[in-house]
Each structure stands twice: as C-alpha cells, then as structure tokens.
C-alpha cells in the first residue's frame, strides 16, 4: 500500500506536536546499553548527554520528512561511556521516541560513540522520516 504524501506530512507533523507537548522544549538523551523494551519503560543505561531542542522542535513536514530546528549543544557530558541508544522526551518527560546510536546502520549515526566526561556533544542535524511504502 502506498500512502499519500499529505498523510505522510500529517504524521510527521504529529510527531513534532508530541515533541512540543508541555510548556518547554523537548530533549534528546543519549545513554549507554540497550534501549528499554517499550517507550513506557523506565530509562536504562547510564545517561551520557542531554541536548535540548528548540521549541518548536521541528519545521513543517515536506515529503514526510521533518528537520529539527537548532538543537542546543551539551557542553558537559555527564559520564564516560559508549553511546548505544537515545530517547526523545517532551517537556513533561514523556518518551516520544527511542532508538539506536552508532557509527553506521543505526537510527542516529554519530562520528564517534565514545563519550568522555565533561566533553561536548554537538548535534548538527536531525531529520525524522515517515515512510509510506
């Protein structure tokens, strides 16, 4: 089944709406170890960094893709460790999405997954794509 682009855009914009829930900006936390089995489960692994989205987090969808507005750097990494998963939370701390972090073949592709205490995490770009096969 193929889905109309206007529906893909609506789903992508809805993802942004969920990120923007609450009074403040959404966050992207990068953690060690495997992600929890469900987004409703408690955080797992060691928190390495937390970056804060702009508010609103993303621009309007085009072709089922939303691109993040500026994301604030985390200028002080919380712990030394290997990044393995992330969680995006709204300002009420509800998980909107989670996924894998790695140097290839993962949801978030990073230059390095080796995080060092008091280092810096810069997210230069982030897109979310709704696929309508």
């Amino acid at each position: 089944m193929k889905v109309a682009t206007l529906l893909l855009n609506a789903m992508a914009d809805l993802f942004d709406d969920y990120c923007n829930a609450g009074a403040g900006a959404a966050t992207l936390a990068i953690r060690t170890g495997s992600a929890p089995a469900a987004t409703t489960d408690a955080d797992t692994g060691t928190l390495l960094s937390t970056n804060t989205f702009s508010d609103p987090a993303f621009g309007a969808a085009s072709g089922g893709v939303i691109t993040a507005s500026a994301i604030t750097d985390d200028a002080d990494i919380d712990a030394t460790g290997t990044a393995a998963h992330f969680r995006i939370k709204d300002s009420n701390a509800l998980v909107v999405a989670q996924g894998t972090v790695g140097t290839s073949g993962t949801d978030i592709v990073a230059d390095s997954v080796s995080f060092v205490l008091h280092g810096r995490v810069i997210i230069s770009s982030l897109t979310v794509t709704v696929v309508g096969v």
Side-chain angles (χ1 to χ4, degrees):
M1 169 173 64
K2 294 198 180 243
V3 178
T5 301
L6 66 96
L7 181 55
L8 297 177
N9 288 340
M11 290 188 292
D13 287 335
L14 185 59
F15 180 90
D16 182 40
D17 290 346
Y18 274 85
C19 289
N20 297 322
T27 57
L28 186 149
I30 298 176
R31 308 180 73 88
T32 63
S34 298
T39 58
T40 52
D41 292 344
D43 292 336
T44 58
T46 300
L47 176 65
L48 298 174
S49 70
T50 304
N51 294 74
T52 304
F53 285 91
S54 296
D55 193 5
F58 295 87
S62 175
V65 178
I66 52 174
T67 301
S69 302
I71 300 172
T72 303
D73 297 350
D74 182 342
D76 190 13
I77 291 175
D78 297 311
T80 296
T82 303
H85 77 277
F86 72 91
R87 296 187 113 185
I88 295 174
K89 295 182 181 183
D90 69 15
S91 66
N92 296 319
L94 296 174
V95 178
V96 175
Q98 65 183 30
T100 55
V101 176
T103 56
S104 66
T106 53
D107 298 313
I108 290 181
V109 176
D111 292 336
S112 172
V113 292
S114 297
F115 283 39
V116 179
L117 180 66
H118 302 306
R120 182 180 204 96
V121 176
I122 300 168
I123 299 175
S124 57
S125 66
L126 179 73
T127 59
V128 174
T129 304
V130 177
V131 180
V133 226

